[in-house]
Amino acid sequence: MPPSDRTPDTTRADASTAPPRPQRADGRRNQARVLEEAFAAFAAHGAAVPIREIARRAGVSTGTVTRHFPTKEALFRAVALHRIEHLVRSAEDIAAQEPPTTAFFTFFAFLVRQSAADHAVGDALTGAGFDLRAAASTAIRDFGTAMTGLLTQAQQAGTVRDDVDTADIKALIAGCITRDDDGAAQQRMIEIVCDGLHPRPT
């Protein structure tokens, strides 16, 4: 007669210690679609666009979006930080190609145009979206370092007034992108701001 007590199955792995399952192919495709549509939606409308609109654009449910990005802040952060990494690379390229006397102004004009064309960039830089600094992101620190470096070099070269700091620059960018109705108005705002940034005659 077989024993009444069964021997525990030691070949079965404990669920709590099993490694996480790799993401399924359809899950990866859904995540890629969500990110792609989030890039477009945040670029057009900024951080205010609702999750349900991004889900509709991606052709998935809101539950699918939140499965990959638990909050809208997490999704916006993923999009905005990708954009900011691009800005850091652009700052490095400008610094390598132009002298300190002009590099800052070139970068400032680039930031204004990027912020006007891509609302995710504008919201991230001006604080109109979520506070990305809370993420302690390397990209955010690198961007601050890049902007401060170009500004400091311009001030040392005597082409930007000494009492300007990066907070002033962000405020000026925000002011310039309120005039994104046409390229001529935007360029005029950039020129007015850049003229004002030059040192005042003694």
Side-chain angles (χ1 to χ4, degrees), residues 43 111-119 121-122 176-177 179-180 186:
L111 286 177
V112 171
R113 296 188 182 104
Q114 288 289 304
S115 300
D118 188 334
H119 289 262
V121 172
C176 287
I177 62 177
R179 293 299 310 272
D180 60 353
Q186 184 183 103

Side-chain angles (χ1 to χ4, degrees), residues 71-82 130-132 134-135:
T71 64
K72 188 170 76 167
E73 181 174 5
L75 179 56
F76 180 80
R77 185 183 296 123
V79 170
L81 293 183
H82 179 273
F130 299 104
D131 184 7
L132 298 179

Side-chain angles (χ1 to χ4, degrees), residues 66-140:
T66 56
R67 190 176 305 123
H68 297 290
F69 303 96
T71 64
K72 188 170 76 167
E73 181 174 5
L75 179 56
F76 180 80
R77 185 183 296 123
V79 170
L81 293 183
H82 179 273
R83 295 291 197 255
I84 289 173
E85 288 170 357
H86 169 67
L87 296 181
V88 172
R89 291 192 296 271
S90 298
E92 293 170 347
D93 290 343
I94 291 171
Q97 295 169 10
E98 295 196 25
T101 53
T102 61
F104 169 78
F105 294 105
T106 298
F107 187 55
F108 178 84
F110 174 77
L111 286 177
V112 171
R113 296 188 182 104
Q114 288 289 304
S115 300
D118 188 334
H119 289 262
V121 172
D123 285 355
L125 294 185
T126 62
F130 299 104
D131 184 7
L132 298 179
R133 291 173 299 178
S137 164
T138 300
I140 293 295

